[in-house]
Amino acid sequence: MLIREYIQPYPTAFTMNQFLFSHPAVNCAYQIIWHPDCTYIAIFSSNKLDTPLEELTYELSIPNCLVVSPIPDQVHVYNGSSIIVGYLPPKATAVAVLRVEGIVDIQSNIEITGHVVSPVFREPIEIYITHLDIMRPHQITLDEYGKLWGKYQHQKSNIITTESVNSSATFANHISSRNFQVIKIIGSEAVTCARILGQQEMCLLHGKILGDGNLNILVRSNYEALSTCVNEAMEEYFSNQ
């Protein structure tokens, strides 16, 4: 069954395919898929050979802080640390999908590592997932926003040079695609909010157009790791626009 059949007709956002490794026998990549209620991690393995692979297994180290479950019918066996794909025909692609429903400890490292193993190879993999991948747009009032802004103590700020953001309206369009809800646009400024999946914890982001291609970003939350991650993600995103 195709991944899209699980998530349609819901609005989603897909990352570009990220290659994990290329081996003479197999190409392996993954994709992060944002869904309103969860985040999917799809791992693709393509058999490059004219002969089958008799057994293919993903041995994963998944942080305890992540709430993760496999997608039914997408994995042959899942025991909490391994996904056994099993037989992979010649020139075929296998897809294993994990569903991330939330995070227990926001301060924890959420990197997923492990190996892809078959009778002919054992290759290390690293799946890059960030706090931004497990956040979703969250609507609050401007008054609530102001109270939280004064309450949250962990702030990160940045001035980013970007060619694509020249007004608060274009900033709002971009930030909406990054899992933040625009609360209000005030002149050259926009205030936005996101919530962690499975929690009530929020992250606030304030953007201001400075002119000359510069954008000022302020991020506030209850957690230094969260504010740092979002700040770095926004710098990477807007610098490449």
Side-chain angles (χ1 to χ4, degrees), residues 180-204:
F180 275 81
Q181 175 72 44
V182 176
I183 306 303
K184 192 173 181 64
I185 296 175
I186 308 170
S188 61
E189 304 178 38
V191 293
T192 71
C193 179
R195 181 178 61 82
I196 298 291
L197 279 173
Q199 292 203 19
Q200 295 302 314
E201 289 293 341
M202 286 174 271
C203 181
L204 308 179

Side-chain angles (χ1 to χ4, degrees), residues 43 55-60 62 69-87 95-98:
I43 309 173
E55 188 173 331
L56 185 69
T57 302
Y58 303 108
E59 297 177 349
L60 301 177
I62 299 175
S69 61
I71 296 298
D73 301 327
Q74 282 287 334
V75 295
H76 182 62
V77 177
Y78 178 74
N79 63 10
S81 61
S82 296
I83 301 173
I84 302 174
V85 176
Y87 180 88
V95 184
V97 183
L98 294 175

